[in-house]
Protein backbone atom coordinates (compact mmCIF):
# COMPACT_ATOMS: atom_id res chain seq x y z
CA UNK A 1 0.00 0.00 0.00
CA UNK A 2 1.25 3.53 -0.82
CA UNK A 3 2.42 5.50 2.23
CA UNK A 4 0.68 8.74 3.18
CA UNK A 5 2.84 11.86 2.72
CA UNK A 6 2.78 15.01 4.84
CA UNK A 7 4.57 18.35 5.03
CA UNK A 8 4.88 20.05 8.42
CA UNK A 9 6.02 23.67 8.67
CA UNK A 10 7.35 24.75 12.09
CA UNK A 11 8.12 21.28 13.46
CA UNK A 12 11.58 21.51 15.05
CA UNK A 13 9.96 21.95 18.46
CA UNK A 14 6.68 21.97 20.39
CA UNK A 15 3.43 20.64 18.94
CA UNK A 16 4.93 20.26 15.45
CA UNK A 17 7.80 18.09 16.67
CA UNK A 18 5.49 15.86 18.72
CA UNK A 19 3.11 15.47 15.77
CA UNK A 20 6.01 14.56 13.49
CA UNK A 21 7.15 11.82 15.87
CA UNK A 22 3.61 10.44 16.24
CA UNK A 23 2.91 10.27 12.49
CA UNK A 24 6.32 8.82 11.66
CA UNK A 25 5.54 6.05 14.16
CA UNK A 26 2.24 5.53 12.33
CA UNK A 27 4.08 5.01 9.04
CA UNK A 28 3.84 8.39 7.31
CA UNK A 29 6.52 9.90 5.05
CA UNK A 30 7.15 13.47 6.25
CA UNK A 31 8.93 16.58 5.00
CA UNK A 32 9.56 19.17 7.71
CA UNK A 33 10.46 22.85 7.43
CA UNK A 34 11.67 25.02 10.32
CA UNK A 35 14.18 27.73 11.16
CA UNK A 36 16.24 25.17 13.15
CA UNK A 37 17.56 21.73 12.38
CA UNK A 38 15.34 18.86 13.48
CA UNK A 39 16.34 16.38 16.20
CA UNK A 40 14.63 13.62 14.18
CA UNK A 41 16.69 11.00 12.39
CA UNK A 42 14.41 8.66 10.48
CA UNK A 43 14.66 7.46 6.88
CA UNK A 44 10.99 8.44 6.34
CA UNK A 45 11.80 12.03 7.34
CA UNK A 46 13.43 14.83 5.33
CA UNK A 47 14.11 18.21 6.96
CA UNK A 48 14.70 21.57 5.30
CA UNK A 49 15.93 24.56 7.29
CA UNK A 50 14.07 27.69 6.19
CA UNK A 51 12.48 30.79 7.65
CA UNK A 52 8.91 31.40 6.45
CA UNK A 53 9.64 35.14 6.30
CA UNK A 54 12.73 34.97 4.08
CA UNK A 55 12.57 35.92 0.41
CA UNK A 56 13.56 32.47 -0.86
CA UNK A 57 10.87 30.66 1.18
CA UNK A 58 8.43 30.52 -1.75
CA UNK A 59 11.10 28.99 -4.02
CA UNK A 60 12.02 26.43 -1.35
CA UNK A 61 8.37 25.49 -0.85
CA UNK A 62 7.74 25.21 -4.58
CA UNK A 63 10.70 22.82 -4.85
CA UNK A 64 9.48 20.74 -1.89
CA UNK A 65 5.95 20.63 -3.30
CA UNK A 66 7.35 19.07 -6.50
CA UNK A 67 8.78 16.09 -4.56
CA UNK A 68 5.46 14.26 -4.74
CA UNK A 69 1.74 14.51 -3.94
CA UNK A 70 0.91 15.53 -0.38
CA UNK A 71 -1.99 14.05 1.57
CA UNK A 72 -1.52 16.55 4.38
CA UNK A 73 0.16 19.86 5.14
CA UNK A 74 0.13 21.38 8.65
CA UNK A 75 1.28 24.94 9.36
CA UNK A 76 2.46 25.00 12.99
CA UNK A 77 4.62 28.14 12.90
CA UNK A 78 3.70 30.76 15.45
CA UNK A 79 5.51 33.43 17.43
CA UNK A 80 4.29 36.01 19.89
CA UNK A 81 5.81 38.93 21.77
CA UNK A 82 4.37 41.33 24.29
CA UNK A 83 3.59 44.80 22.96
CA UNK A 84 6.09 47.52 23.80
CA UNK A 85 4.39 50.80 22.85
CA UNK A 86 7.82 52.55 22.88
CA UNK A 87 9.26 50.13 20.31
CA UNK A 88 6.71 48.62 17.95
CA UNK A 89 9.26 47.63 15.32
CA UNK A 90 8.65 43.89 15.84
CA UNK A 91 4.87 43.99 15.50
CA UNK A 92 4.68 43.55 11.72
CA UNK A 93 7.04 40.55 11.88
CA UNK A 94 4.55 38.66 14.06
CA UNK A 95 1.79 39.13 11.48
CA UNK A 96 4.21 38.20 8.70
CA UNK A 97 5.35 34.93 10.30
CA UNK A 98 2.04 33.80 11.77
CA UNK A 99 -0.33 34.85 8.99
CA UNK A 100 1.52 35.70 5.77
CA UNK A 101 3.84 32.70 6.22
CA UNK A 102 0.77 30.46 6.29
CA UNK A 103 -0.54 32.11 3.10
CA UNK A 104 2.83 31.57 1.36
CA UNK A 105 2.74 27.93 2.44
CA UNK A 106 -0.83 27.43 1.24
CA UNK A 107 0.03 29.09 -2.08
CA UNK A 108 2.85 26.59 -2.64
CA UNK A 109 1.05 23.36 -1.72
CA UNK A 110 -2.66 23.87 -2.43
CA UNK A 111 -2.54 24.24 -6.24
CA UNK A 112 -0.86 20.81 -6.34
CA UNK A 113 -3.56 19.36 -4.05
CA UNK A 114 -6.30 20.84 -6.26
CA UNK A 115 -4.70 19.38 -9.40
CA UNK A 116 -4.49 15.98 -7.66
CA UNK A 117 -8.10 16.29 -6.45
CA UNK A 118 -7.11 15.44 -2.87
CA UNK A 119 -5.28 16.79 0.17
CA UNK A 120 -5.81 18.32 3.60
CA UNK A 121 -4.38 21.65 4.81
CA UNK A 122 -4.45 22.22 8.58
CA UNK A 123 -3.56 25.52 10.21
CA UNK A 124 -2.82 25.69 13.93
CA UNK A 125 -4.54 28.77 15.27
CA UNK A 126 -5.54 29.80 18.77
CA UNK A 127 -8.53 30.75 20.88
CA UNK A 128 -6.84 34.17 20.84
CA UNK A 129 -8.43 34.60 17.40
CA UNK A 130 -11.66 36.00 18.87
CA UNK A 131 -10.30 38.14 21.70
CA UNK A 132 -8.85 41.64 21.76
CA UNK A 133 -5.55 41.84 23.63
CA UNK A 134 -3.77 44.86 25.06
CA UNK A 135 -0.72 42.67 25.88
CA UNK A 136 -0.16 40.99 22.51
CA UNK A 137 -2.38 42.61 19.87
CA UNK A 138 -0.23 41.44 16.94
CA UNK A 139 -0.47 37.77 18.01
CA UNK A 140 -4.24 38.00 18.46
CA UNK A 141 -4.70 39.86 15.17
CA UNK A 142 -2.54 37.33 13.32
CA UNK A 143 -4.65 34.45 14.62
CA UNK A 144 -7.92 36.30 13.86
CA UNK A 145 -6.82 36.74 10.24
CA UNK A 146 -5.50 33.17 10.15
CA UNK A 147 -8.78 31.62 11.31
CA UNK A 148 -10.90 33.83 9.10
CA UNK A 149 -8.79 33.05 6.02
CA UNK A 150 -8.88 29.30 6.58
CA UNK A 151 -12.68 29.41 7.00
CA UNK A 152 -13.03 31.01 3.57
CA UNK A 153 -10.44 28.73 1.98
CA UNK A 154 -12.35 25.71 3.28
CA UNK A 155 -15.48 26.86 1.41
CA UNK A 156 -13.50 27.49 -1.78
CA UNK A 157 -11.67 24.14 -1.81
CA UNK A 158 -14.16 21.57 -0.52
CA UNK A 159 -15.89 21.23 -3.93
CA UNK A 160 -12.44 20.42 -5.38
CA UNK A 161 -11.80 17.52 -3.01
CA UNK A 162 -9.30 19.43 -0.83
CA UNK A 163 -10.08 19.88 2.87
CA UNK A 164 -9.04 22.79 5.10
CA UNK A 165 -9.14 22.64 8.90
CA UNK A 166 -8.62 25.49 11.34
CA UNK A 167 -7.45 24.18 14.73
CA UNK A 168 -7.92 26.56 17.69
CA UNK A 169 -5.93 25.55 20.74
CA UNK A 170 -6.04 26.93 24.26
CA UNK A 171 -2.78 26.74 26.25
CA UNK A 172 -0.43 23.89 25.31
CA UNK A 173 2.62 23.15 27.43
CA UNK A 174 5.44 24.31 25.11
CA UNK A 175 7.96 27.16 25.22
CA UNK A 176 5.34 29.33 23.54
CA UNK A 177 2.93 29.19 26.51
CA UNK A 178 4.07 32.31 28.33
CA UNK A 179 2.68 34.15 31.31
CA UNK A 180 1.58 33.03 34.75
CA UNK A 181 -2.09 32.16 34.39
CA UNK A 182 -2.50 29.28 31.93
CA UNK A 183 -5.93 27.81 32.70
CA UNK A 184 -6.73 24.32 31.43
CA UNK A 185 -3.29 23.95 29.80
CA UNK A 186 -2.98 20.60 27.98
CA UNK A 187 0.18 18.63 27.47
CA UNK A 188 1.69 18.31 24.00
CA UNK A 189 0.63 14.66 23.55
CA UNK A 190 -3.01 15.64 24.17
CA UNK A 191 -2.68 18.36 21.51
CA UNK A 192 -1.38 15.71 19.09
CA UNK A 193 -4.38 13.48 19.95
CA UNK A 194 -6.63 16.36 18.86
CA UNK A 195 -4.67 16.85 15.65
CA UNK A 196 -4.90 13.13 14.85
CA UNK A 197 -8.67 13.39 15.24
CA UNK A 198 -8.66 16.35 12.82
CA UNK A 199 -6.60 14.37 10.31
CA UNK A 200 -9.17 11.55 10.49
CA UNK A 201 -12.39 13.60 10.46
CA UNK A 202 -11.32 16.75 8.51
CA UNK A 203 -13.63 19.28 10.27
CA UNK A 204 -13.79 22.91 9.13
CA UNK A 205 -12.91 24.17 12.61
CA UNK A 206 -11.80 22.35 15.74
CA UNK A 207 -11.42 23.91 19.20
CA UNK A 208 -9.64 22.30 22.17
CA UNK A 209 -10.06 22.13 25.07
CA UNK A 210 -13.82 22.55 24.76
CA UNK A 211 -14.13 23.64 28.39
CA UNK A 212 -12.48 26.96 27.50
CA UNK A 213 -15.12 27.89 24.90
CA UNK A 214 -17.72 29.31 27.38
CA UNK A 215 -14.95 31.20 29.22
CA UNK A 216 -13.83 32.84 25.98
CA UNK A 217 -17.42 33.71 25.08
CA UNK A 218 -17.90 35.26 28.53
CA UNK A 219 -14.68 37.27 28.25
CA UNK A 220 -15.69 38.47 24.80
CA UNK A 221 -19.10 39.54 26.13
CA UNK A 222 -17.43 41.46 28.96
CA UNK A 223 -15.21 43.25 26.44
CA UNK A 224 -18.22 44.12 24.30
CA UNK A 225 -20.01 45.50 27.33
CA UNK A 226 -17.05 47.75 28.03
CA UNK A 227 -14.93 45.79 30.53
CA UNK A 228 -11.35 44.77 29.71
N1 LIG B 1 1.64 26.61 23.08
C1 LIG B 1 0.46 27.21 23.21
O1 LIG B 1 0.00 27.53 24.35
C2 LIG B 1 -0.38 27.50 22.00
C3 LIG B 1 -1.73 27.85 22.20
C4 LIG B 1 -2.52 28.12 21.09
C5 LIG B 1 -1.99 28.03 19.82
N2 LIG B 1 -0.67 27.70 19.65
C6 LIG B 1 -0.13 27.67 18.30
O2 LIG B 1 0.43 26.41 18.04
C7 LIG B 1 1.47 26.55 17.07
C8 LIG B 1 2.69 25.78 17.55
O3 LIG B 1 3.13 26.37 18.76
P1 LIG B 1 4.10 25.66 19.79
O4 LIG B 1 3.53 25.89 21.13
O5 LIG B 1 4.41 24.29 19.35
O6 LIG B 1 5.36 26.63 19.63
P2 LIG B 1 6.95 26.34 19.62
O7 LIG B 1 7.27 25.23 20.55
O8 LIG B 1 7.55 27.68 19.82
O9 LIG B 1 7.21 25.83 18.12
C9 LIG B 1 7.09 26.71 17.04
C10 LIG B 1 7.76 26.10 15.83
O10 LIG B 1 7.69 27.07 14.76
C11 LIG B 1 9.00 27.25 14.24
N3 LIG B 1 9.20 28.61 13.74
C12 LIG B 1 9.06 29.78 14.43
N4 LIG B 1 9.32 30.81 13.63
C13 LIG B 1 9.62 30.29 12.42
C14 LIG B 1 9.97 30.87 11.19
N5 LIG B 1 10.07 32.20 11.02
N6 LIG B 1 10.19 30.05 10.13
C15 LIG B 1 10.12 28.71 10.27
N7 LIG B 1 9.79 28.10 11.43
C16 LIG B 1 9.55 28.89 12.49
C17 LIG B 1 9.91 26.98 15.41
O11 LIG B 1 11.17 26.67 14.91
P3 LIG B 1 12.48 27.38 15.52
O12 LIG B 1 12.48 26.97 16.97
O13 LIG B 1 13.55 26.81 14.73
O14 LIG B 1 12.28 28.84 15.33
C18 LIG B 1 9.23 25.79 16.07
O15 LIG B 1 9.57 24.60 15.40
C19 LIG B 1 1.71 28.06 16.92
O16 LIG B 1 1.11 28.51 15.73
C20 LIG B 1 0.99 28.65 18.11
O17 LIG B 1 0.51 29.96 17.86
C21 LIG B 1 0.14 27.42 20.72
Amino acid sequence: MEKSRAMFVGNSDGIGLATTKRLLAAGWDIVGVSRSESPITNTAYYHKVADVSEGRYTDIMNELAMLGPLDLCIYFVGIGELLNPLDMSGEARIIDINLTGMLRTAAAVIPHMVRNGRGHFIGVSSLADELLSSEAPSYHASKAGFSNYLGGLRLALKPKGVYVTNVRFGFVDTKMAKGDGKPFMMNVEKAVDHLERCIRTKPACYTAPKIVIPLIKFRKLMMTLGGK
Side-chain angles (χ1 to χ4, degrees), residues 95-114:
I95 305 276
D96 187 41
I97 288 173
N98 293 3
L99 175 57
T100 315
M102 181 272 284
L103 297 183
R104 288 190 199 104
T105 304
V109 301
I110 284 178
H112 294 276
M113 289 180 171
V114 170

Side-chain angles (χ1 to χ4, degrees), residues 10-16 33-36 50-53 76-79 93 97 124-126 139 143 169-177:
N11 70 332
S12 62
D13 203 353
I15 307 167
V33 182
S34 302
R35 253 183 331 193
S36 310
D51 185 322
V52 300
S53 66
F76 291 98
V77 176
I79 60 165
R93 180 167 166 77
I97 288 173
V124 180
S125 188
S126 162
Y139 181 78
K143 293 302 188 184
F169 279 138
F171 290 111
V172 182
D173 192 6
T174 68
K175 71 175 184 304
M176 165 159 264

Side-chain angles (χ1 to χ4, degrees), residues 15 63 80 121-122 175 179-180 188 216:
I15 307 167
E63 278 170 30
F121 188 90
I122 298 180
K175 71 175 184 304
D180 295 332
V188 177
I216 295 282

Side-chain angles (χ1 to χ4, degrees), residues 102-190:
M102 181 272 284
L103 297 183
R104 288 190 199 104
T105 304
V109 301
I110 284 178
H112 294 276
M113 289 180 171
V114 170
R115 277 192 284 275
N116 293 330
R118 70 184 166 100
H120 187 189
F121 188 90
I122 298 180
V124 180
S125 188
S126 162
L127 283 155
D129 67 355
E130 59 175 307
L131 291 176
L132 297 179
S133 168
S134 55
E135 290 92 13
S138 51
Y139 181 78
H140 283 238
S142 72
K143 293 302 188 184
F146 189 104
S147 296
N148 189 297
Y149 185 83
L150 289 186
L153 195 62
R154 163 88 175 196
L155 297 176
L157 298 185
K158 201 169 169 206
K160 301 181 187 309
V162 175
Y163 291 86
V164 175
T165 299
N166 182 39
V167 177
R168 305 167 67 237
F169 279 138
F171 290 111
V172 182
D173 192 6
T174 68
K175 71 175 184 304
M176 165 159 264
K178 294 174 182 159
D180 295 332
K182 288 171 265 190
F184 304 106
M185 183 156 74
M186 69 181 112
N187 65 38
V188 177
E189 293 307 320
K190 186 72 195 166

